Amino acid sequence: NAGVTQTPKFRVLKTGQSMTLLCAQDMNHEYMYWYRQDPGMGLRLIHYSVGEGTTAKGEVPDGYNVSRLKKQNFLLGLESAAPSQTSVYFCASTRGDTGELFFGEGSRLTVL
Amino acid sequence: AQSVAQPEDQVNVAEGNPLTVKCTYSVSGNPYLFWYVQYPNRGLQFLLKYITGDNLVKGSYGFEAEFNKSQTSFHLKKPSALVSDSALYFCAVRDMTGGFKTIFGAGTRLFVKA
């Protein structure tokens, strides 16, 4: 019963490098989300998807791109990492409307 | 726009005492409210939600929350705190206008002392 799985769990990048975070869910959920968590700021929505092949911007989308080529996967990309993107990133999914979110365990990214 | 406020950064309570973690919200339309808990180095876990119906909602681990429409509040409560309840708690509201986005408060850290 995997739920939501994020890879990698930890990553250290140098400024300007690129990387991709992978989120996979096995619950057949339509809706998937990428959040970042920073101390004292709660969770802020980066991008989200309402179904396969669709993506949309959240509160803090700048510097990130996403893709949802398969229903079960939601990828978050950083094209040119900056120290301000040092954070813990969480993927979540839901069936929609009033359903609760299911979260991955998080990916801790440090940009030097 | 939907928003959630958690006015306390931290709540301290002694084990066995009742606890309350406060949350107020601002929404257009009917509110769909949630509480999540986060233990160290873990993802968030769902505790309970208010969609409609009874103002007192019961959830996991003995937690409950009281929905108050006139005060636009959704406070999390537990009659008797445990040391193991120490964690970070998030109140959240569902935006039903598109994408079913969930908007989170800043979080409240609960410390339960033995």
Side-chain angles (χ1 to χ4, degrees):
Chain A
N1 191 15
V4 179
T5 304
Q6 292 181 229
T7 52
K9 290 184 169 45
F10 302 93
R11 185 74 187 269
V12 178
L13 290 177
K14 295 181 179 178
T15 297
Q17 288 184 318
S18 62
M19 75 158 295
T20 300
L21 297 176
L22 170 63
C23 176
Q25 54 95 3
D26 61 2
M27 295 170 284
N28 202 35
H29 285 165
E30 289 290 341
Y31 302 87
M32 297 186 73
Y33 309 84
W34 275 107
Y35 288 90
R36 58 177 289 173
Q37 182 179 22
D38 302 291
M41 302 188 74
L43 276 75
R44 292 181 294 168
L45 183 64
I46 305 171
H47 285 281
Y48 65 100
S49 170
V50 301
E52 182 178 317
T54 73
T55 63
K57 295 180 180 180
E59 301 171 74
V60 289
D62 294 343
Y64 304 96
N65 56 75
V66 287
S67 64
R68 183 112 181 256
L69 299 179
K70 294 183 178 180
K71 185 177 183 178
Q72 64 267 34
N73 295 338
F74 194 29
L75 279 63
L76 177 71
L78 285 71
E79 292 182 345
S80 179
S84 60
Q85 294 177 303
T86 293
S87 187
V88 181
Y89 292 85
F90 287 99
C91 178
S93 71
T94 182
R95 61 174 172 81
D97 54 60
T98 59
E100 65 267 28
L101 289 171
F102 291 80
F103 282 85
E105 292 289 285
S107 298
R108 184 175 295 274
L109 174 65
T110 301
V111 183
L112 303 176
Chain B
Q2 326 281 22
S3 65
V4 170
Q6 295 181 243
E8 303 155 316
D9 292 336
Q10 184 172 310
V11 169
N12 298 308
V13 65
E15 188 174 35
N17 284 0
L19 70 87
T20 299
V21 182
K22 295 179 180 177
C23 172
T24 59
Y25 65 89
S26 174
V27 302
S28 52
N30 294 323
Y32 297 95
L33 301 161
F34 300 78
W35 276 101
Y36 292 85
V37 60
Q38 185 182 32
Y39 298 101
N41 301 313
R42 303 296 300 276
L44 280 70
Q45 298 176 31
F46 168 74
L47 276 180
L48 51 78
K49 64 183 175 183
Y50 173 83
I51 304 301
T52 187
D54 289 341
N55 290 341
L56 187 63
V57 180
K58 294 190 183 298
S60 306
Y61 312 122
F63 283 92
E64 55 192 28
E66 187 171 10
F67 171 70
N68 188 316
K69 188 173 183 179
S70 63
Q71 297 185 2
T72 62
S73 66
F74 188 55
H75 300 331
L76 182 70
K77 301 183 178 185
K78 188 173 184 182
S80 179
L82 300 172
V83 172
S84 57
D85 292 330
S86 298
L88 186 56
Y89 290 82
F90 289 97
C91 184
V93 63
R94 175 69 51 84
D95 181 351
M96 303 297 279
T97 60
F100 299 119
K101 302 183 292 292
T102 300
I103 310 302
F104 286 86
T108 298
R109 191 164 296 279
L110 173 67
F111 286 102
V112 181
K113 190 166 64 174

